[in-house]
Amino acid sequence: MEIERKYLIKNIPDNLNSFPCRMMEQGYLSTAPVIRIRKDNDNYELTYKSKGLMVREEYNLPLTKEAYEHLLPKIDGRLIKKKRYMIPLGKGLTAELDIFEEELAPLILAEVEFPDENSALTFTPPDWFGEDVTFSGRHHNSFLSQC
């Protein structure tokens, strides 16, 4: 089960380069249901996500580099490229700050995953977060891949 909230970012933290960064690319084989392939640095995976906005089922399966490259030409829509910074927020929470590249630049979003729905619903975001877009399907990567 994935429980997460998503935010537009109004201010990038000044010390951004002090946080771990991963280079990611991902494409969608299907958006209904969501079936995604992802390259995360040197790791590869295939993900299935059920319907939903804040709460949904998510299953990740490892892929080899060769399997990822075989599936890559089969994606529907654009390949999303982004840098993901992992920023600790305290209380065991982490902001996954995504800085999108190429056609989706200058879009910047942050996702925060939670252990349960109550934690997600009572979360107070830091000042550098902007609008909460959790319940806007327009900001899901599967939608962004189709724009």
Side-chain angles (χ1 to χ4, degrees), residues 61-78:
L61 301 168
L63 287 176
T64 63
K65 178 181 180 183
E66 293 75 22
Y68 174 83
E69 290 173 349
H70 175 76
L71 292 169
L72 199 54
K74 297 167 177 38
I75 66 170
D76 183 22
R78 75 165 55 100

PDB file of all heavy atoms in Angstrom, residues 61-78:
ATOM      1  N   LEU A  61       8.509  -4.751  -9.060  1.00  0.00           N
ATOM      2  CA  LEU A  61       9.250  -5.952  -9.449  1.00  0.00           C
ATOM      3  C   LEU A  61      10.582  -5.531 -10.050  1.00  0.00           C
ATOM      4  O   LEU A  61      10.629  -4.618 -10.884  1.00  0.00           O
ATOM      5  CB  LEU A  61       8.467  -6.747 -10.490  1.00  0.00           C
ATOM      6  CG  LEU A  61       7.074  -7.225 -10.063  1.00  0.00           C
ATOM      7  CD1 LEU A  61       6.303  -7.729 -11.262  1.00  0.00           C
ATOM      8  CD2 LEU A  61       7.217  -8.308  -9.023  1.00  0.00           C
ATOM      9  N   PRO A  62      11.673  -6.175  -9.653  1.00  0.00           N
ATOM     10  CA  PRO A  62      12.961  -5.809 -10.221  1.00  0.00           C
ATOM     11  C   PRO A  62      13.042  -6.190 -11.697  1.00  0.00           C
ATOM     12  O   PRO A  62      12.456  -7.181 -12.134  1.00  0.00           O
ATOM     13  CB  PRO A  62      13.968  -6.606  -9.392  1.00  0.00           C
ATOM     14  CG  PRO A  62      13.190  -7.734  -8.818  1.00  0.00           C
ATOM     15  CD  PRO A  62      11.773  -7.263  -8.679  1.00  0.00           C
ATOM     16  N   LEU A  63      13.757  -5.378 -12.450  1.00  0.00           N
ATOM     17  CA  LEU A  63      14.042  -5.655 -13.861  1.00  0.00           C
ATOM     18  C   LEU A  63      15.549  -5.657 -14.054  1.00  0.00           C
ATOM     19  O   LEU A  63      16.264  -4.972 -13.324  1.00  0.00           O
ATOM     20  CB  LEU A  63      13.464  -4.563 -14.772  1.00  0.00           C
ATOM     21  CG  LEU A  63      11.973  -4.479 -15.007  1.00  0.00           C
ATOM     22  CD1 LEU A  63      11.652  -3.265 -15.869  1.00  0.00           C
ATOM     23  CD2 LEU A  63      11.456  -5.743 -15.660  1.00  0.00           C
ATOM     24  N   THR A  64      16.015  -6.364 -15.055  1.00  0.00           N
ATOM     25  CA  THR A  64      17.409  -6.238 -15.462  1.00  0.00           C
ATOM     26  C   THR A  64      17.511  -5.021 -16.384  1.00  0.00           C
ATOM     27  O   THR A  64      16.497  -4.540 -16.924  1.00  0.00           O
ATOM     28  CB  THR A  64      17.886  -7.484 -16.230  1.00  0.00           C
ATOM     29  OG1 THR A  64      17.105  -7.593 -17.437  1.00  0.00           O
ATOM     30  CG2 THR A  64      17.752  -8.740 -15.377  1.00  0.00           C
ATOM     31  N   LYS A  65      18.715  -4.554 -16.576  1.00  0.00           N
ATOM     32  CA  LYS A  65      18.941  -3.454 -17.510  1.00  0.00           C
ATOM     33  C   LYS A  65      18.445  -3.853 -18.901  1.00  0.00           C
ATOM     34  O   LYS A  65      17.810  -3.054 -19.593  1.00  0.00           O
ATOM     35  CB  LYS A  65      20.429  -3.102 -17.551  1.00  0.00           C
ATOM     36  CG  LYS A  65      20.763  -1.998 -18.521  1.00  0.00           C
ATOM     37  CD  LYS A  65      22.252  -1.700 -18.542  1.00  0.00           C
ATOM     38  CE  LYS A  65      22.547  -0.590 -19.538  1.00  0.00           C
ATOM     39  NZ  LYS A  65      23.984  -0.310 -19.642  1.00  0.00           N
ATOM     40  N   GLU A  66      18.700  -5.086 -19.293  1.00  0.00           N
ATOM     41  CA  GLU A  66      18.297  -5.555 -20.624  1.00  0.00           C
ATOM     42  C   GLU A  66      16.770  -5.587 -20.759  1.00  0.00           C
ATOM     43  O   GLU A  66      16.228  -5.196 -21.802  1.00  0.00           O
ATOM     44  CB  GLU A  66      18.878  -6.954 -20.886  1.00  0.00           C
ATOM     45  CG  GLU A  66      20.395  -6.993 -20.997  1.00  0.00           C
ATOM     46  CD  GLU A  66      21.123  -6.871 -19.661  1.00  0.00           C
ATOM     47  OE1 GLU A  66      20.528  -7.160 -18.599  1.00  0.00           O
ATOM     48  OE2 GLU A  66      22.305  -6.440 -19.686  1.00  0.00           O
ATOM     49  N   ALA A  67      16.068  -6.026 -19.719  1.00  0.00           N
ATOM     50  CA  ALA A  67      14.600  -6.049 -19.761  1.00  0.00           C
ATOM     51  C   ALA A  67      14.051  -4.622 -19.835  1.00  0.00           C
ATOM     52  O   ALA A  67      13.119  -4.343 -20.591  1.00  0.00           O
ATOM     53  CB  ALA A  67      14.043  -6.770 -18.541  1.00  0.00           C
ATOM     54  N   TYR A  68      14.648  -3.704 -19.068  1.00  0.00           N
ATOM     55  CA  TYR A  68      14.233  -2.299 -19.106  1.00  0.00           C
ATOM     56  C   TYR A  68      14.411  -1.740 -20.517  1.00  0.00           C
ATOM     57  O   TYR A  68      13.500  -1.119 -21.070  1.00  0.00           O
ATOM     58  CB  TYR A  68      15.050  -1.489 -18.091  1.00  0.00           C
ATOM     59  CG  TYR A  68      14.783  -0.009 -18.153  1.00  0.00           C
ATOM     60  CD1 TYR A  68      13.697   0.548 -17.486  1.00  0.00           C
ATOM     61  CD2 TYR A  68      15.621   0.841 -18.874  1.00  0.00           C
ATOM     62  CE1 TYR A  68      13.445   1.910 -17.551  1.00  0.00           C
ATOM     63  CE2 TYR A  68      15.378   2.200 -18.934  1.00  0.00           C
ATOM     64  CZ  TYR A  68      14.296   2.735 -18.276  1.00  0.00           C
ATOM     65  OH  TYR A  68      14.049   4.085 -18.353  1.00  0.00           O
ATOM     66  N   GLU A  69      15.586  -1.972 -21.099  1.00  0.00           N
ATOM     67  CA  GLU A  69      15.856  -1.449 -22.445  1.00  0.00           C
ATOM     68  C   GLU A  69      14.949  -2.087 -23.491  1.00  0.00           C
ATOM     69  O   GLU A  69      14.598  -1.445 -24.481  1.00  0.00           O
ATOM     70  CB  GLU A  69      17.330  -1.633 -22.781  1.00  0.00           C
ATOM     71  CG  GLU A  69      18.206  -0.707 -21.959  1.00  0.00           C
ATOM     72  CD  GLU A  69      19.703  -0.947 -22.128  1.00  0.00           C
ATOM     73  OE1 GLU A  69      20.095  -1.977 -22.721  1.00  0.00           O
ATOM     74  OE2 GLU A  69      20.473  -0.100 -21.631  1.00  0.00           O
ATOM     75  N   HIS A  70      14.559  -3.344 -23.288  1.00  0.00           N
ATOM     76  CA  HIS A  70      13.618  -4.008 -24.191  1.00  0.00           C
ATOM     77  C   HIS A  70      12.230  -3.359 -24.109  1.00  0.00           C
ATOM     78  O   HIS A  70      11.554  -3.193 -25.131  1.00  0.00           O
ATOM     79  CB  HIS A  70      13.529  -5.500 -23.848  1.00  0.00           C
ATOM     80  CG  HIS A  70      12.500  -6.235 -24.644  1.00  0.00           C
ATOM     81  ND1 HIS A  70      12.686  -6.583 -25.965  1.00  0.00           N
ATOM     82  CD2 HIS A  70      11.256  -6.654 -24.310  1.00  0.00           C
ATOM     83  CE1 HIS A  70      11.592  -7.188 -26.410  1.00  0.00           C
ATOM     84  NE2 HIS A  70      10.720  -7.247 -25.429  1.00  0.00           N
ATOM     85  N   LEU A  71      11.795  -2.998 -22.912  1.00  0.00           N
ATOM     86  CA  LEU A  71      10.469  -2.401 -22.719  1.00  0.00           C
ATOM     87  C   LEU A  71      10.425  -0.915 -23.075  1.00  0.00           C
ATOM     88  O   LEU A  71       9.359  -0.378 -23.401  1.00  0.00           O
ATOM     89  CB  LEU A  71      10.019  -2.602 -21.269  1.00  0.00           C
ATOM     90  CG  LEU A  71       9.710  -4.039 -20.869  1.00  0.00           C
ATOM     91  CD1 LEU A  71       9.531  -4.151 -19.356  1.00  0.00           C
ATOM     92  CD2 LEU A  71       8.472  -4.547 -21.604  1.00  0.00           C
ATOM     93  N   LEU A  72      11.544  -0.242 -23.023  1.00  0.00           N
ATOM     94  CA  LEU A  72      11.598   1.208 -23.238  1.00  0.00           C
ATOM     95  C   LEU A  72      10.925   1.674 -24.538  1.00  0.00           C
ATOM     96  O   LEU A  72      10.140   2.624 -24.513  1.00  0.00           O
ATOM     97  CB  LEU A  72      13.050   1.682 -23.164  1.00  0.00           C
ATOM     98  CG  LEU A  72      13.296   3.157 -22.920  1.00  0.00           C
ATOM     99  CD1 LEU A  72      12.572   3.662 -21.686  1.00  0.00           C
ATOM    100  CD2 LEU A  72      14.797   3.405 -22.780  1.00  0.00           C
ATOM    101  N   PRO A  73      11.147   1.020 -25.677  1.00  0.00           N
ATOM    102  CA  PRO A  73      10.477   1.478 -26.903  1.00  0.00           C
ATOM    103  C   PRO A  73       8.954   1.263 -26.885  1.00  0.00           C
ATOM    104  O   PRO A  73       8.252   1.783 -27.736  1.00  0.00           O
ATOM    105  CB  PRO A  73      11.109   0.634 -28.013  1.00  0.00           C
ATOM    106  CG  PRO A  73      12.309   0.002 -27.427  1.00  0.00           C
ATOM    107  CD  PRO A  73      12.122  -0.042 -25.956  1.00  0.00           C
ATOM    108  N   LYS A  74       8.455   0.525 -25.922  1.00  0.00           N
ATOM    109  CA  LYS A  74       7.035   0.202 -25.853  1.00  0.00           C
ATOM    110  C   LYS A  74       6.239   1.178 -24.985  1.00  0.00           C
ATOM    111  O   LYS A  74       5.025   1.038 -24.849  1.00  0.00           O
ATOM    112  CB  LYS A  74       6.853  -1.225 -25.331  1.00  0.00           C
ATOM    113  CG  LYS A  74       7.471  -2.269 -26.261  1.00  0.00           C
ATOM    114  CD  LYS A  74       7.554  -3.624 -25.601  1.00  0.00           C
ATOM    115  CE  LYS A  74       8.087  -4.727 -26.471  1.00  0.00           C
ATOM    116  NZ  LYS A  74       9.139  -4.479 -27.378  1.00  0.00           N
ATOM    117  N   ILE A  75       6.906   2.192 -24.394  1.00  0.00           N
ATOM    118  CA  ILE A  75       6.178   3.107 -23.520  1.00  0.00           C
ATOM    119  C   ILE A  75       5.205   3.947 -24.328  1.00  0.00           C
ATOM    120  O   ILE A  75       5.405   4.201 -25.519  1.00  0.00           O
ATOM    121  CB  ILE A  75       7.112   4.013 -22.681  1.00  0.00           C
ATOM    122  CG1 ILE A  75       7.902   4.984 -23.556  1.00  0.00           C
ATOM    123  CG2 ILE A  75       8.010   3.172 -21.785  1.00  0.00           C
ATOM    124  CD1 ILE A  75       8.653   6.045 -22.767  1.00  0.00           C
ATOM    125  N   ASP A  76       4.149   4.368 -23.644  1.00  0.00           N
ATOM    126  CA  ASP A  76       3.117   5.207 -24.237  1.00  0.00           C
ATOM    127  C   ASP A  76       3.337   6.628 -23.727  1.00  0.00           C
ATOM    128  O   ASP A  76       3.265   6.875 -22.524  1.00  0.00           O
ATOM    129  CB  ASP A  76       1.740   4.683 -23.803  1.00  0.00           C
ATOM    130  CG  ASP A  76       0.602   5.454 -24.435  1.00  0.00           C
ATOM    131  OD1 ASP A  76       0.815   6.086 -25.482  1.00  0.00           O
ATOM    132  OD2 ASP A  76      -0.502   5.426 -23.869  1.00  0.00           O
ATOM    133  N   GLY A  77       3.642   7.556 -24.615  1.00  0.00           N
ATOM    134  CA  GLY A  77       3.898   8.932 -24.183  1.00  0.00           C
ATOM    135  C   GLY A  77       5.378   9.186 -24.013  1.00  0.00           C
ATOM    136  O   GLY A  77       6.224   8.451 -24.515  1.00  0.00           O
ATOM    137  N   ARG A  78       5.676  10.242 -23.272  1.00  0.00           N
ATOM    138  CA  ARG A  78       7.072  10.668 -23.112  1.00  0.00           C
ATOM    139  C   ARG A  78       7.775   9.909 -21.998  1.00  0.00           C
ATOM    140  O   ARG A  78       7.149   9.440 -21.051  1.00  0.00           O
ATOM    141  CB  ARG A  78       7.150  12.165 -22.837  1.00  0.00           C
ATOM    142  CG  ARG A  78       6.759  12.570 -21.433  1.00  0.00           C
ATOM    143  CD  ARG A  78       7.189  14.003 -21.078  1.00  0.00           C
ATOM    144  NE  ARG A  78       6.719  14.991 -21.991  1.00  0.00           N
ATOM    145  CZ  ARG A  78       5.665  15.776 -21.787  1.00  0.00           C
ATOM    146  NH1 ARG A  78       4.977  15.670 -20.670  1.00  0.00           N
ATOM    147  NH2 ARG A  78       5.290  16.655 -22.675  1.00  0.00           N
TER     148      ARG A  78
END
